Amino acid sequence: MAELGAEGARSQLQAGLAALKQGKPAAAIAPLETASATLTGAEQARAQAALVGAYRAVGQWAKAIALCESLLNHPNPQVRQWATQARSQLKPPPPPPLTPKPKAAEDPGFVPLEAGNAGFVPLTDPQAIGKRTQVVRVALNPHPGSPALGSPASGSSALGSSPGSATPGSATPGSSSADPGANPAIAPTTAPTSPLKSDRPPSAVAGSPPWSPNPDRPPAVMAVVTTVETTAPEAQPPAATDAQTPEPYSVQWRNGGRADRRTALTPRPWGQRLVSQAIAIVLLAWIVQQSVLLGTATYNKLLDWLSVLLPWLPIWGEATPYITDDPSVSAWIALGLLFLGSPWLLDEVMHRWGSQTRKFSELSAQRPETARLLQRLVRSRNRPVPYLRLLTTDLPVVVVYGWLPAQARLAISQGAIDGLSDGELATLVAAQYSQIDRGDSAIASWATVVLLLPYGLHQWAAQLAETWQLWPAKLGAVGLSALAYGLYRVERWALFGWSRSRQAEADRLGAAETGDPNALARALVKCGAAVAEQAIANRALSPWLVAIELLLPFSPTCAAIEGSFHPIAPPEPLWAWGRRNPYRTWLQLNHTHPLTGQRMATLAELAVRWRLEPEFEASDRAAQDQQQRYLPPLPRARPLRPTTPQTLWLQSGPWVGMVAGVGVALLLWVIGGLGRLLNHPIGWMWADRSLLWGLAWMGCGLGIFLRLNAFFPEIRGRLPLIFNHADGPPLASALAEPNALPIDAVMVKVSGRLLGRSGWANGLWQDLWLQTPSGLLPLHLASRWGWLGTLIRQSRQELPIGSPVMVTGWLRRGGIPWIDVESLNLVQGRFTSTTSLVSPDAHPLRSVLLGAIAVAIGFSILMRYRWF
């Protein structure tokens, strides 16, 4: 098969998958065997997974079991996990029991098969339907105990094509009837059917029309069976069915067509775009300016303190190196220079990551559709082709940067070329390139460079802290690293609103340029799976992705979480939160990209508008059906609060308290203004800024106190939900509630492997993950003494990255789900350590400490005490 070539093998793979989708497993075996013998990597695993389903569908159980067992040794952990699950369900059906031929007097009611009478009467014969007939459903099922051809369990799904990541489709045995020994081709309509193991509801009325939620699945055939009028037999109790056992999920790509004719999209009003861009630029520049002023004041105050502690140094007096000039002008000039030099500075960043300059002809040879699309985009705008750079990383990266269209750069990673199809890569390129027309690419490039300054300082200082052994120098490097990371997080707040709006617009324009919104949806999902696989392999999220997050078409954190769940759980129930939660607009304020549920709903809407079948269903019914079919309900789940504005106010207690404090201050201003008009002593309150800032800080602290008990319910003495247990539910079941708020915490106990960066680069525990068989989840660890306590704890003993742990805490559902850790214990063999690696009750005590600090700051401002 070597002479077939990679392209031919891929064609055979697509042909085999198409045959499976059409319900022809026998015709799919030959091309799938050819593809399996020729392809390598993820595509080979995809072909083998589909081949398992084809073998099983035609009854070749030995071949299916042997091939599935060979996948148990696959290097990809997700493929091994799928193979383990599929192997446990690959069991040949038992042979039908040998029963003696019934006598005529004991005829159960069916006419025996005779010559010229097969027992079935065609539907076209209206005279056959009478008192002596019964309408039944005949399932297209070649073997007892195997699923109907064309069903999702028949192996029509296959592995995703992300690089190094296999998302296998499962060929899972279904249950065609309650009695395995009965004839599966004849089943009365009153037979009990498990709602979790059937794709159609049981029909209680004979002769009801066939129902099929899946257009790819052939509907059940209506037939008429001739019967004999006898006394009705005694009702038999229904066979026991396991309604609580969900079906194993398998990844299925619909690979819908492309819209040849599509209606034009209404562009976003230019006024809104300019306002959001101006707000982002001004806010980021203001934060940088205030940070410089605060740093200057802190530097001068430190010199004052050192002059008291070290008076013998010969630098005090007129020679003291104080900064007396206003540094604001210098900050503005530096920001302007960073804007002008952003393309070349980002070139250096890409070079350090690992990039090489490529010619356009090389892209045309590897991805011709992407090259043709890029040529069409630049010719329609009378521009040159962007500078092409190839990133050597396996991560799927497509970024466009530069502040002038003539100097634009397009960087595509090797992982994106290998892991995405040509059409999927073309949609990502179109979406990213569309940001040049609106000026978003220039702002994103400048903002990325500005954010790289504190983030790079954080990484550099962390490396120095690892190298230096002298404790004063190490302490200084650790403090500098923590402060730089804090500044990086603060600066990001200025860009959240603009970044979400421009990425949502880029999705629409990218789909409009290609006419293929389904390809963009598949590309985003495959990118998430690749990011999750890379994070698991490297035991941490890549810091390069975090550094250029604004330039990426996805959020690295969201992509890692959702990508880790995708091969195991259906995505629609997990995306329902971002599409249906009534408060999602407020709860995504700290996100750089739109919620995936919103993005998929937009792409599905475009597909329906252009008369295409959506790649992923964006409807409540589809999400509920997927949840009922694949995700078991949670036992002992905490009841959710009603989704009322009061619930959101309780969730946002610190912010509501701050707004209330500002309102009280404004009221006092009005009273002071009246007193000033009347020459009353209370006139001093008019326009007094200390009232505004002091009451805002005090309101924030009081809001923290009011939210404390509801946000951290008592976890001791209660039975938490145990996940990743043999009889426990999957983590996805806890994340499928669309109306949940972070305050609706579920007390959980989860085992897995601790991931995250090691050393002082993770000194604040800002990058900690829990890898479970069900997926990845971020962990929020805290010290009762706040960030200072975290640094002290990190200096004494580093967390055991890569070790198996048991986590107990509060699982919260927001735009990004996470676990607030109450206890973290090592797992050694069968035993779990009784000593927690974190302080007990750290999160509630830290909240109390933060509230007390906020109140103290507000009180000091009201008392006119100046810290600087």
Side-chain angles (χ1 to χ4, degrees):
M1 299 298 177
E3 66 275 9
L4 184 63
E7 293 300 329
R10 293 191 182 97
S11 301
Q12 292 292 319
L13 174 60
Q14 296 300 326
L17 296 178
L20 280 179
K21 191 173 183 179
Q22 297 171 3
K24 302 176 181 178
I29 291 179
L32 287 178
E33 287 179 342
T34 303
S36 175
T38 306
L39 297 174
T40 59
E43 293 177 325
Q44 183 186 39
R46 184 184 186 189
Q48 290 175 343
L51 192 57
V52 170
Y55 282 150
R56 184 192 151 283
V58 300
Q60 298 182 12
W61 297 94
K63 291 184 177 181
I65 292 174
L67 183 56
C68 191
E69 288 180 347
S70 66
L71 292 176
L72 295 175
N73 299 322
H74 198 275
N76 191 303
Q78 293 180 350
V79 177
R80 294 198 302 269
Q81 180 181 358
W82 173 86
T84 303
Q85 184 181 18
R87 178 61 185 90
S88 63
Q89 299 172 357
L90 281 176
K91 298 178 182 179
L98 298 177
T99 55
K101 183 177 181 179
K103 298 179 181 180
E106 299 176 354
D107 195 299
F110 293 98
V111 175
L113 300 179
E114 298 175 356
N117 182 12
F120 295 91
V121 180
L123 284 176
T124 55
D125 186 2
Q127 303 297 329
I129 304 178
K131 296 187 299 182
R132 298 166 58 86
T133 60
Q134 180 185 12
V135 181
V136 299
R137 293 183 182 272
V138 180
L140 297 179
N141 203 347
H143 299 283
S146 62
L149 300 181
S151 65
S154 66
S156 59
S157 60
L159 294 177
S161 59
S162 57
S165 171
T167 53
S170 174
T172 58
S175 177
S176 60
S177 63
D179 185 3
N183 188 349
I186 302 177
T189 59
T190 57
T193 306
S194 171
L196 294 178
K197 290 193 175 184
S198 176
D199 294 323
R200 55 179 177 86
S203 176
V205 181
S208 61
W211 181 89
S212 177
N214 191 346
D216 298 329
R217 174 178 305 161
V221 178
M222 302 298 299
V224 181
V225 181
T226 305
T227 61
V228 179
E229 292 183 359
T230 59
T231 304
E234 183 178 357
Q236 298 294 330
T241 57
D242 188 9
Q244 297 298 324
T245 303
E247 295 184 21
Y249 172 71
S250 59
V251 179
Q252 302 179 26
W253 303 110
R254 296 182 179 179
N255 295 316
R258 178 178 302 178
D260 296 329
R261 297 180 180 179
R262 50 190 181 273
T263 58
L265 299 179
T266 304
R268 185 186 177 195
W270 63 270
Q272 294 182 7
R273 185 179 75 248
L274 292 180
V275 168
S276 64
Q277 291 175 348
I279 290 176
I281 294 173
V282 172
L283 275 180
L284 181 58
W286 180 80
I287 291 176
V288 171
Q289 179 195 17
Q290 294 299 314
S291 301
V292 172
L293 291 176
L294 181 60
T296 302
T298 304
Y299 169 76
N300 292 334
K301 181 62 70 172
L302 286 176
L303 289 180
D304 290 339
W305 291 347
L306 289 176
S307 65
V308 177
L309 296 177
L310 305 173
W312 46 269
L313 290 178
I315 62 173
W316 311 123
E318 296 182 357
T320 304
Y322 288 108
I323 299 178
T324 57
D325 297 333
D326 188 357
S328 300
V329 177
S330 300
W332 286 99
I333 294 175
L335 291 175
L337 293 177
L338 289 178
F339 177 78
L340 296 176
S342 58
W344 296 274
L345 293 174
L346 288 175
D347 283 343
E348 181 63 22
V349 172
M350 300 299 174
H351 176 71
R352 290 181 178 272
W353 192 0
S355 67
Q356 303 171 358
T357 304
R358 283 291 183 265
K359 296 181 179 180
F360 185 79
S361 59
E362 298 179 12
L363 178 64
S364 301
Q366 290 184 304
R367 287 292 182 259
E369 181 179 349
T370 303
R372 289 194 300 269
L373 170 71
L374 191 58
Q375 278 186 329
R376 178 167 58 84
L377 291 175
V378 298
R379 287 177 179 175
S380 63
R381 294 161 174 81
N382 194 21
R383 298 172 184 169
V385 176
Y387 296 100
L388 297 179
R389 304 187 70 90
L390 176 66
L391 298 175
T392 56
T393 178
D394 292 334
L395 292 169
V397 176
V398 177
V399 296
V400 175
Y401 59 94
W403 57 273
L404 281 179
Q407 296 178 346
R409 273 81 160 162
L410 172 61
I412 303 177
S413 68
Q414 189 65 47
I417 294 176
D418 295 339
L420 302 178
S421 67
D422 202 359
E424 294 162 357
L425 182 60
T427 56
L428 279 183
V429 171
Q432 296 299 92
Y433 190 83
S434 66
Q435 301 184 38
I436 298 179
D437 301 332
R438 308 186 309 273
D440 289 330
S441 176
I443 300 176
S445 302
W446 170 71
T448 300
V449 172
V450 173
L451 292 178
L452 277 172
L453 293 179
Y455 189 78
L457 180 61
H458 154 67
Q459 294 284 340
W460 175 71
Q463 294 178 0
L464 292 181
E466 296 288 341
T467 305
W468 291 346
Q469 300 299 325
L470 191 62
W471 72 265
K474 180 183 288 291
L475 183 61
V478 169
L480 180 61
S481 175
L483 290 175
Y485 184 78
L487 178 60
Y488 161 76
R489 294 294 297 267
V490 171
E491 289 180 352
R492 291 172 73 244
W493 274 89
L495 307 167
F496 285 146
W498 159 79
S499 180
R500 288 194 303 271
S501 62
R502 58 104 185 182
Q503 190 60 56
E505 185 70 7
D507 290 346
R508 296 174 69 251
L509 296 180
E513 288 287 352
T514 59
D516 198 353
N518 293 327
L520 182 56
R522 291 193 303 271
L524 294 176
V525 172
K526 292 179 180 179
C527 286
V531 172
E533 181 186 1
Q534 187 80 354
I536 294 174
N538 296 338
R539 302 195 306 182
L541 197 63
S542 173
W544 294 102
L545 290 181
V546 180
I548 63 169
E549 181 177 8
L550 286 176
L551 299 175
L552 296 173
F554 53 83
S555 169
T557 303
C558 289
I561 297 172
E562 296 168 353
S564 65
F565 280 96
H566 178 66
I568 306 168
E572 285 87 350
L574 303 181
W575 294 340
W577 193 97
R579 183 176 47 84
R580 289 184 49 196
N581 192 281
Y583 304 123
R584 61 186 181 274
T585 303
W586 298 101
L587 295 175
Q588 65 169 346
L589 291 179
N590 58 343
H591 289 200
T592 56
H593 291 69
L595 298 175
T596 308
Q598 293 177 329
R599 303 178 74 175
M600 294 300 172
T602 300
L603 296 176
E605 181 183 353
L606 292 177
V608 173
R609 181 177 180 178
W610 296 332
R611 299 181 180 180
L612 300 173
E613 182 184 10
E615 183 69 33
F616 299 99
E617 297 290 342
S619 64
D620 296 343
R621 179 176 180 180
Q624 293 172 0
D625 291 345
Q626 295 272 19
Q627 182 177 356
Q628 182 184 18
R629 183 176 179 182
Y630 297 110
L631 301 178
L634 291 180
R636 303 189 311 275
R638 180 182 178 185
L640 296 176
R641 295 178 174 83
T643 54
T644 60
Q646 291 79 5
T647 308
L648 182 64
W649 296 347
L650 186 61
Q651 165 70 39
S652 308
W655 305 105
V656 173
M658 183 179 296
V659 173
V662 171
V664 172
L666 294 178
L667 179 61
L668 294 178
W669 279 17
V670 173
I671 296 175
L674 294 176
R676 189 171 184 179
L677 291 176
L678 300 174
N679 293 325
H680 195 276
I682 62 173
W684 66 269
M685 293 189 301
W686 167 250
D688 190 346
R689 294 186 179 181
S690 63
L691 289 176
L692 188 67
W693 292 105
L695 291 178
W697 277 102
M698 295 187 72
C700 178
L702 294 177
I704 292 176
F705 291 142
L706 292 177
R707 190 187 67 170
L708 183 62
N709 290 334
F711 205 71
F712 297 103
E714 180 61 39
I715 204 169
R716 292 187 178 86
R718 299 189 183 184
L719 295 177
L721 293 178
I722 301 178
F723 292 92
N724 303 328
H725 190 266
D727 300 328
L731 272 174
S733 296
L735 305 178
E737 172 53 51
N739 293 326
L741 296 177
I743 200 171
D744 299 312
V746 178
M747 292 170 288
V748 297
K749 189 174 185 180
V750 192
S751 60
R753 190 164 66 115
L754 185 64
L755 304 181
R757 279 174 286 176
S758 58
W760 287 110
N762 199 11
L764 296 174
W765 296 344
Q766 72 272 17
D767 181 44
L768 290 176
W769 297 74
L770 182 67
Q771 178 198 353
T772 72
S774 301
L776 290 173
L777 273 182
L779 298 180
H780 287 188
L781 273 68
S783 171
R784 61 178 61 183
W785 302 112
W787 297 285
L788 180 60
T790 302
L791 293 174
I792 296 175
R793 169 67 176 78
Q794 180 75 4
S795 64
R796 293 179 178 176
Q797 182 182 2
E798 188 176 348
L799 291 177
I801 302 297
S803 301
V805 294
M806 176 70 73
V807 175
T808 303
W810 300 272
L811 176 61
R812 307 191 188 279
R813 184 62 169 101
I816 296 178
W818 77 92
I819 297 179
D820 283 334
V821 179
E822 195 271 343
S823 65
L824 179 68
N825 304 90
L826 276 175
V827 176
Q828 300 176 351
R830 296 184 178 180
F831 303 99
T832 302
S833 173
T834 57
T835 303
S836 178
L837 299 176
V838 297
S839 305
D841 298 323
H843 280 285
L845 291 176
R846 190 185 70 164
S847 296
V848 171
L849 181 62
L850 288 177
I853 292 175
V855 171
I857 292 176
F859 182 77
S860 65
I861 293 176
L862 291 177
M863 297 303 293
R864 309 296 179 91
Y865 180 79
R866 299 187 62 87
W867 293 90
F868 295 101

